[in-house]
Amino acid sequence: MITNNILIKLKDRNSENIGNARDKLLSMKDKIESLRDLTVKVNIRQDASSYDILQIAQYDSMEDLEAYIVHPVHIEVSQYMADVIESIAVVCSES
């Protein structure tokens, strides 16, 4: 199992923008065959060093992760997110 954790900090960190980004990420659920599970959490404690959103995505293999990356639904979401993201941090692990 591959788990890809992405921390996302938005440029404009108000609750409406955070909610819109969360909803956009969640819109991928059940639309990409290689995406085994998707969880999106919103940080409830805001400060200058915190991130706004945690996305946890799981795949059966690295090949499935690679298929997800090029999937049209993911590309559409990525294009939206590219406009609103200030920074990200990623940890991809295998279990």
Side-chain angles (χ1 to χ4, degrees):
M1 166 106 44
I2 304 299
T3 302
N4 197 38
N5 300 285
I6 303 175
L7 290 167
I8 301 167
K9 185 181 286 192
L10 300 180
K11 294 175 188 174
D12 188 350
R13 304 177 76 190
N14 68 52
S15 61
E16 181 179 356
N17 288 337
I18 292 170
N20 290 341
R22 178 201 61 224
D23 293 346
K24 192 68 166 177
L25 293 167
L26 284 171
S27 74
M28 294 185 290
K29 197 165 190 167
D30 301 323
K31 293 182 181 170
I32 302 174
E33 303 77 23
S34 62
L35 180 59
R36 179 180 226 189
D37 191 38
L38 177 65
T39 303
V40 179
K41 305 238 179 208
V42 172
N43 187 0
I44 60 171
R45 185 172 177 265
Q46 294 291 321
D47 63 32
S49 66
S50 66
Y51 284 76
D52 303 305
I53 296 171
L54 168 62
Q55 176 187 305
I56 305 166
Q58 294 185 315
Y59 313 88
D60 289 328
S61 66
M62 284 302 291
E63 292 79 17
D64 284 349
L65 171 58
E66 296 301 325
Y68 161 82
I69 290 171
V70 298
H71 193 283
V73 171
H74 175 254
I75 291 172
E76 177 188 328
V77 170
S78 294
Q79 290 170 341
Y80 170 84
M81 295 302 293
D83 290 337
V84 299
I85 288 176
E86 177 180 306
S87 63
I88 65 171
V90 178
V91 175
C92 189
S93 62
E94 185 174 23
S95 57

